[in-house]
Amino acid sequence: MASDDERYQVQGRNGVQRLLTSLQQARVPVSLRFDDTQDSHLSMLVAVDGKGGRFYLDEVALPRGRRQAEAGAVFSIHAELEGVPIEVTGCRITGQAPLDGVDAYIVPFPSSLVYRQRRDEFRARVPRAMNVPVSLGLPARAPEQVPPLTGILGDLSASGCRVEFPRKPATPVESGQCFGEVVIDAPEPYGRLEMSAEACHVLQDEEGRTAACGFRFLEVRGGTSQRLQKFLLHLQREALRLQRD
């Protein structure tokens, strides 16, 4: 039986280029994790060169990360594209180049990458202008009394969502952590969407602070499921309308 990584692996230059270009065009922040130290640093794809078989990353902000990158340390790239985790392993910087006023790192295309897409599920990006707040509370039985975390809804599906944290959360979010009281404050007529959820993919900034996190819904409560589906349909129609415009 194939492993998850094998089942979700995208191979070939065209497929790799398509996904890297989507990350670049969506201006999605990416996390660089160096294999030898497990240090994590935030960056962004600034360009993709299909003919040259390479892409360009924005320079790492912290000096420690720059030293590792420029010394040719091997790293992996972790990101989410419309809520779907992407992982690129075995990356190494082979040079630097000025690009549109930015000092960029040159990275050769990988032979493959992992794109954990669930093809049977629609996932909608939530426009920033909609500014949908999300509250994440630990279960009442949690030993520590931690106030709810607050963030902004980045995308949504029937089984999960991505939450962005414009400010540093009071406590770090860890993969596998469960939140018993999750409230998405959707606009009317959809209202409060209440569920419990588990943290899955955690994106951190250069200083190790949580910047965004993907969540898997564990329980969608009461009449929330029907209103969630209606809100998803609304987001899908908005996305189609913007494409036509």
Side-chain angles (χ1 to χ4, degrees), residues 74-93:
V74 178
F75 61 92
S76 57
I77 294 175
H78 302 261
E80 280 195 358
L81 182 62
E82 297 185 348
V84 181
I86 293 178
E87 181 179 353
V88 189
T89 58
C91 299
R92 191 191 299 270
I93 289 161

Side-chain angles (χ1 to χ4, degrees), residues 15-211:
V16 168
Q17 180 183 342
R18 175 177 57 80
L19 286 171
L20 292 176
T21 299
S22 295
L23 284 175
Q24 182 256 322
Q25 291 177 343
R27 299 188 60 79
V28 172
V30 301
S31 179
L32 313 185
R33 297 180 192 170
F34 291 94
D35 290 6
D36 53 351
T37 64
Q38 291 301 301
D39 285 355
S40 180
H41 300 273
L42 208 59
S43 183
M44 185 172 289
L45 272 75
V46 293
V48 178
D49 176 8
K51 286 187 177 181
R54 57 189 182 180
F55 61 96
Y56 297 82
L57 287 171
D58 193 8
E59 187 179 55
V60 172
L62 294 183
R64 175 182 172 88
R66 284 203 300 273
R67 287 194 297 269
Q68 289 177 287
E70 292 165 14
V74 178
F75 61 92
S76 57
I77 294 175
H78 302 261
E80 280 195 358
L81 182 62
E82 297 185 348
V84 181
I86 293 178
E87 181 179 353
V88 189
T89 58
C91 299
R92 191 191 299 270
I93 289 161
T94 58
Q96 292 177 265
L99 196 68
D100 295 331
V102 174
D103 289 328
Y105 298 132
I106 301 170
V107 185
F109 275 6
S111 58
S112 65
L113 53 79
V114 175
Y115 180 52
R116 303 182 189 280
Q117 184 181 27
R118 294 182 61 175
R119 300 181 188 279
D120 57 343
E121 181 176 280
F122 172 73
R123 184 175 289 268
R125 183 180 298 172
V126 181
R128 289 189 181 275
M130 194 172 284
N131 197 35
V132 178
V134 183
S135 172
L136 300 138
L138 290 168
R141 63 180 180 276
E144 68 275 25
Q145 295 301 312
V146 179
L149 306 182
T150 56
I152 301 298
L153 189 64
D155 61 46
L156 181 69
S157 75
S159 64
C161 67
R162 179 168 57 89
V163 179
E164 300 170 354
F165 299 96
R167 300 180 184 84
K168 178 182 177 180
T171 56
V173 180
E174 298 178 355
S175 181
Q177 189 175 15
C178 292
F179 292 83
E181 301 292 335
V182 177
V183 178
I184 299 173
D185 195 6
E188 292 297 336
Y190 312 105
R192 286 166 57 95
L193 307 175
E194 300 180 2
M195 63 278 290
S196 59
E198 176 187 6
C200 299
H201 178 79
V202 181
L203 177 67
Q204 297 178 325
D205 65 13
E206 301 92 349
E207 298 176 359
R209 298 175 302 190
T210 304

